[in-house]
Amino acid sequence: MSEPNDKKPFAPSSLRPATQMVHGGVTRSQWGETSEALFMTQGYIYESAQQQEARFSGDEPGYVYSRYANPTVSMFEERMALLEGAEAARGTASGMAAVTTAMLSCVKAGDHVVAASALFGSCLYIVNELLPRFGVECTLVDGTDLAQWKAAMRPNTRACFLESPTNPTLSVIDIAAVADIAHDAGAKLVVDNVFATALWQSPLALGADVVIYSATKHIDGQGRCLGGVVLASQQFIEEEMKDIHRHTGPSLSPFNAWIMLKGLETFPLRVKHQTQSAAFLADRLAEHKAIDRVLYPGRSDHPQADLVARQMRAGSTMIALEIAGGKEAAFRLENALNVIKISNNLGDAKSLITHPSTTTHQRLDDDQLAAAGIKQGTLRLSVGLEDVEDLWDDFEQALATL
Ligand SMILES: *Cc1c(COP(=O)(O)O)cnc(C)c1O
């Protein structure tokens, strides 16, 4: 016989983030497994027809179908909500499913959206091409210019959308100020927080209403699965977003949710290490004569260093570089790197470099590229978990070929 259990109830919300990322959100099965269980199931069996009826009517809490919810996905959502300090979270199949589901939950035909022009290519497509097809007009602004946000607001503006730091040039937008402008107009602020990560920036605490992540990036962190998550108030997730999420099918697979849950256990360690390495490389690269400019939010020469200090707890795992010689020189540098791999992904254990104007931002025309601050000699580096001296050695030999 086991002793009676007189342990205090376990309350992850009172613990510090690194502890929450190991223990938060766990629901153990009757087997008491150490590691989170992977509930690879589409559906659920009921004790009786009456119970099934009660589950569907909502009179009895519980799972009904994995497009709506799944125990492994729920564990991931709870752990993410703890990390973000959000009331609620909903996992999605990708970062873009998170963006689309969140934006569709804010607007209907006749409404208006204001978005920063420096957006991830696919996000720009959602706000600037997809939403207008359904009667939602979009105004793009220079996100760093608060006067443009103010001027763009209309009586029917229902959502503002931005990412900060931006992809790929790492400029920083004043989230608290844009949240005020949005709220004065009766609109919600949706923030794509992928580049900052939850470790270094908390948009909800700054006044944003909705935060989205591509979990594909730092949350997996090891280049395996696509995933995403929307974080917001209970009202937004469980009411305003509920039917769109349930009935349009952006659901996160239990397998991918399990990978993301395991990724979150090491997330604080990885992001801290990658950020330290990025800060070190940014300083070394800035001194190299072949580099025109380094854009890194942790450096004092960042164009918005004061704002970075106010709204972020540290820089980023990402660095943007500008080199002379345009695309040809950028390609030569990429091709000369050995340890650092050419890839458009980011937040991975492996350091990855990409040339935005020919890859992630290929859809943009010259004016849009200029508005996003992307030059032909711009490269975006995602710093991984390798020994930083090996990364620097790799850069030094590659830069010598320019
Ligand atoms: C990758 C990315 C997305 C899209 O995420 P997916 O998981 O690829 O769908 C959205 N925003 C930013 C800033 C990203 O880097």
Side-chain angles (χ1 to χ4, degrees):
M1 283 291 267
S2 53
E3 294 294 313
N5 189 343
D6 55 2
K7 267 194 215 158
K8 285 198 223 98
F10 185 64
S13 59
S14 66
L15 300 168
R16 293 167 183 82
T19 315
Q20 291 176 334
M21 290 309 96
V22 175
H23 293 287
V26 173
T27 304
R28 292 210 156 81
S29 78
Q30 73 271 35
W31 308 114
E33 63 281 352
T34 311
S35 175
E36 295 74 8
L38 170 49
F39 291 96
M40 208 69 196
T41 184
Q42 302 158 338
Y44 305 87
I45 306 289
Y46 312 94
E47 302 279 335
S48 65
Q50 286 82 349
Q51 185 184 40
Q52 187 178 26
E53 181 186 29
R55 289 269 180 93
F56 269 78
S57 69
D59 288 343
E60 178 184 303
Y63 295 96
V64 295
Y65 191 49
S66 287
R67 172 150 41 76
Y68 295 5
N70 167 284
T72 306
V73 177
S74 300
M75 287 193 255
F76 167 68
E77 291 167 343
E78 253 186 75
R79 193 170 288 180
M80 276 306 307
L82 285 167
L83 178 64
E84 197 65 31
E87 284 180 15
R90 191 60 73 233
T92 56
S94 67
M96 286 321 303
V99 171
T100 309
T101 308
M103 292 307 292
L104 289 177
S105 302
C106 293
V107 294
K108 60 178 188 321
D111 288 346
H112 174 243
V113 166
V114 183
S117 54
L119 284 181
F120 183 72
S122 303
C123 295
L124 199 59
Y125 166 78
I126 301 296
V127 292
N128 206 32
E129 293 184 47
L130 184 70
L131 292 182
R133 279 172 47 190
F134 299 93
V136 177
E137 272 191 79
C138 174
T139 305
L140 294 178
V141 297
D142 171 352
T144 62
D145 182 352
L146 295 174
Q148 289 194 27
W149 286 101
K150 266 189 209 136
M153 303 308 288
R154 299 181 194 165
N156 60 340
T157 307
R158 287 292 164 266
C160 294
F161 182 56
L162 64 86
E163 65 184 58
S164 181
T166 62
N167 176 22
T169 55
L170 306 177
S171 71
V172 174
I173 299 175
D174 189 334
I175 295 172
V178 177
D180 283 344
I181 295 168
H183 295 160
D184 284 348
K188 288 195 169 71
L189 175 60
V190 181
V191 174
D192 179 338
N193 205 35
V194 166
F195 272 51
T197 79
L199 205 59
W200 303 141
Q201 180 168 274
S202 303
L204 297 177
L206 293 164
D209 302 278
V210 182
V211 177
I212 71 98
Y213 290 99
S214 165
T216 314
K217 313 295 166 56
H218 305 84
I219 293 171
D220 174 331
Q222 291 153 83
R224 298 164 293 195
C225 285
L226 293 175
V229 61
V230 183
L231 297 121
S233 65
Q234 206 144 0
Q235 155 79 21
F236 185 82
I237 298 292
E238 283 163 25
E239 293 180 38
E240 291 163 57
M241 209 177 85
K242 178 180 164 187
D243 287 333
I244 290 176
H245 170 263
R246 286 188 163 198
H247 306 302
T248 66
S251 323
L252 178 59
S253 97
F255 181 79
N256 289 11
W258 182 81
I259 296 279
M260 300 305 176
L261 260 172
K262 303 313 286 179
L264 282 174
E265 293 186 336
T266 56
F267 169 87
L269 280 177
R270 286 184 286 104
V271 173
K272 241 177 250 171
H273 184 88
Q274 287 166 278
T275 304
Q276 276 165 8
S277 295
F280 175 91
L281 285 176
D283 287 343
R284 289 245 178 133
L285 288 165
E287 280 163 21
H288 199 285
K289 60 184 189 314
I291 308 263
D292 277 355
R293 194 171 184 208
V294 166
L295 290 158
Y296 183 69
R299 276 176 61 83
S300 58
D301 64 355
H302 186 278
Q304 298 127 316
D306 290 348
L307 178 56
V308 171
R310 256 188 293 141
Q311 99 178 2
M312 298 180 70
R313 293 181 284 277
S316 168
T317 65
M318 307 294 295
I319 304 171
L321 306 175
E322 284 171 17
I323 59 172
K327 174 179 161 181
E328 197 210 312
F331 275 26
R332 197 157 359 118
L333 176 63
E334 285 187 288
N335 291 340
L337 290 165
N338 290 316
V339 179
I340 298 163
K341 305 300 182 195
I342 301 171
S343 175
N344 43 286
N345 198 15
L346 64 99
D348 198 282
K350 296 176 173 64
S351 291
L352 305 172
I353 196 162
T354 195
H355 182 247
S357 69
T358 55
T359 61
T360 50
H361 293 66
Q362 197 181 60
R363 291 178 57 86
L364 275 56
D365 62 29
D366 287 346
D367 287 346
Q368 288 171 318
L369 284 174
I374 302 168
K375 302 187 173 141
Q376 289 305 317
T378 301
L379 287 164
R380 188 195 78 186
L381 174 69
S382 168
V383 179
L385 289 171
E386 303 93 338
D387 189 309
V388 71
E389 293 294 353
D390 284 329
L391 298 177
W392 176 244
D393 289 349
D394 199 27
F395 259 119
E396 260 199 323
Q397 64 78 24
L399 286 164
T401 68
L402 294 183

